[in-house]
Amino acid sequence: MQKKPRNPDNFEIELDAQLCFAIYGAAHAFTRTYKPLLEPLGLTYPQYLVMIALWEEDDQPVKAIGDRLGLDSGTLSPLLKRLEQSGLVARKRDRDDERQVRISLTAKGGELRHQATGVAQAIGKAVGCSFDEAVTLRDELIALKQRLIKAGE
Amino acid sequence: MQKKPRNPDNFEIELDAQLCFAIYGAAHAFTRTYKPLLEPLGLTYPQYLVMIALWEEDDQPVKAIGDRLGLDSGTLSPLLKRLEQSGLVARKRDRDDERQVRISLTAKGGELRHQATGVAQAIGKAVGCSFDEAVTLRDELIALKQRLIKAGE
DNA sequence: CGCAATTCAATTGCGCACAATCTAATTACG
DNA sequence: CGTAATTAGATTGTGCGCAATTGAATTGCG
């Protein structure tokens, strides 16, 4: 894969686009790998992320979950309603600040954590690289994300 | 960031989940970075990917574009209709195999390529890492994607 | 105190992403 | 040859992801 100078009359995908495309593809590959593992739990991948956030710390406001996952209320409101309908979480207004809706795990939602342990193991196997490699890649991606966010002010 | 053995009664996000989450976040950061750059061109990011594919090789069947980008007809059909309505591409049945719909650039679609040169430059700047770093990261991601796909048979 | 600005969540609208299903065209095979 | 299997694309339905708007609650400031 050689790098040629940009030539508007002889277009090639630039490295930046290749990198972006590689991330795009890897992200989709991840969600596709998670899908069959999460299906028995009745969760989609973004719902699983929300459950992880709640397993780490129960009874959080929507805003806190959104900050953690980088999602806004337009995404979370319907998603949380579906989790509520599945009987995994409860939604109640904070008494001290009635603007906030606090999300808490139901007994069923808390127990799902045990069924989910197999998921991480299966993913670890599918990732198929060493611990150190995974750490490095994770940190590079986090750094890249930070630079992109910073570049966008 | 220390690694502790898995303990179902004291849950922590596993490295695999952290890696997945990092990719998820980086992918979103990329699309957010592209968004304001592509807006003046009247393109979304997936539409931009399709245009790149067509700038590389004009007059492709939907299937070929889908294979290139990892998208199916359920995603591409409406997307291509929008590109057609924007006057950037034309859709016509292949005469030799009427199952296929060939997508070709209009004059307007071809010219858009010149306006798009600034996009890659801006992304390159936002990515903010060296050429070698970007190459390495790209290749690691491609390898990871391949392993994930392979693990899913 | 009282009004303006801010914050939080919900809602609306648009555009992917993908499974499942459908139709039409082509190819394979007995 | 003719039927079955395959292939291409479109359609439908569900669920994100995000911008923009709304409405209610809270905070800040004169």
Side-chain angles (χ1 to χ4, degrees):
Chain A
M1 182 70 60
Q2 58 198 347
K3 175 78 169 183
K4 289 285 179 53
R6 289 158 211 262
N7 177 355
D9 290 313
N10 190 11
F11 193 96
E12 296 175 356
I13 296 189
E14 300 294 341
L15 177 62
D16 335 306
Q18 289 179 28
L19 180 54
C20 179
F21 189 69
I23 289 178
Y24 188 78
H28 287 346
F30 250 118
T31 64
R32 282 183 206 124
T33 304
Y34 269 106
K35 196 170 206 296
L37 299 171
L38 293 175
E39 201 157 318
L41 307 185
L43 292 175
T44 65
Y45 176 62
Q47 288 168 9
Y48 175 62
L49 292 181
V50 169
M51 293 303 289
I52 287 178
L54 290 171
W55 289 329
E56 283 192 316
E57 183 180 340
D58 198 359
D59 196 38
Q60 295 187 59
V62 175
K63 182 73 164 56
I65 298 173
D67 288 345
R68 181 85 173 78
L69 305 183
L71 299 173
D72 69 355
S73 67
T75 300
L76 285 176
S77 287
L79 187 157
L80 291 168
K81 270 192 184 173
R82 284 186 282 271
L83 286 180
E84 185 184 34
Q85 250 182 325
S86 303
L88 299 174
V89 307
R91 293 140 41 73
K92 46 178 193 277
R93 290 269 162 198
D94 188 312
R95 217 170 266 82
D96 295 337
D97 184 345
E98 297 216 347
R99 291 172 304 182
Q100 297 182 33
V101 171
R102 302 194 72 88
I103 309 297
S104 54
L105 291 165
T106 61
K108 185 178 169 189
E111 283 161 19
L112 197 65
R113 190 175 66 172
H114 304 300
Q115 292 175 248
T117 54
V119 174
Q121 289 169 21
I123 291 293
K125 201 176 170 196
V127 165
C129 62
S130 76
F131 177 73
D132 288 347
E133 285 170 340
V135 168
T136 302
L137 186 52
R138 178 200 62 188
D139 293 343
E140 284 169 346
L141 287 165
I142 290 172
L144 172 60
K145 177 182 164 185
Q146 292 308 323
R147 286 196 300 270
L148 287 170
I149 290 171
K150 194 178 169 191
E153 271 78 25
Chain B
M1 183 68 61
Q2 58 199 347
K3 175 80 170 185
K4 289 283 179 54
R6 291 157 209 263
N7 178 353
D9 290 312
N10 191 10
F11 192 97
E12 297 176 355
I13 296 190
E14 300 294 342
L15 177 63
D16 334 306
Q18 289 179 28
L19 179 54
C20 179
F21 189 69
I23 290 178
Y24 188 77
H28 287 347
F30 250 117
T31 64
R32 283 183 205 124
T33 305
Y34 269 106
K35 196 170 204 299
L37 300 171
L38 293 175
E39 201 156 319
L41 307 186
L43 291 175
T44 66
Y45 175 62
Q47 288 168 9
Y48 176 63
L49 292 181
V50 169
M51 293 303 289
I52 287 177
L54 290 171
W55 289 328
E56 283 193 314
E57 183 180 341
D58 198 359
D59 195 39
Q60 294 187 62
V62 174
K63 182 72 163 57
I65 298 173
D67 288 344
R68 180 86 174 78
L69 305 182
L71 299 173
D72 69 356
S73 69
T75 300
L76 284 177
S77 286
L79 186 157
L80 290 169
K81 270 191 185 174
R82 283 186 282 271
L83 286 181
E84 185 183 35
Q85 250 181 325
S86 302
L88 298 174
V89 307
R91 293 140 43 72
K92 45 179 193 278
R93 290 271 162 197
D94 188 313
R95 217 169 264 85
D96 295 336
D97 184 345
E98 296 217 346
R99 290 173 305 183
Q100 297 183 31
V101 170
R102 302 194 72 89
I103 310 297
S104 55
L105 291 166
T106 61
K108 185 178 170 189
E111 283 161 19
L112 197 66
R113 191 175 67 172
H114 304 300
Q115 292 175 250
T117 54
V119 173
Q121 289 170 19
I123 292 293
K125 200 176 172 198
V127 165
C129 62
S130 76
F131 178 73
D132 288 347
E133 285 169 341
V135 168
T136 302
L137 186 52
R138 179 200 61 186
D139 293 342
E140 285 169 346
L141 287 165
I142 289 172
L144 173 59
K145 177 182 164 185
Q146 292 308 324
R147 287 196 299 271
L148 288 171
I149 289 171
K150 195 178 168 191
E153 272 76 24

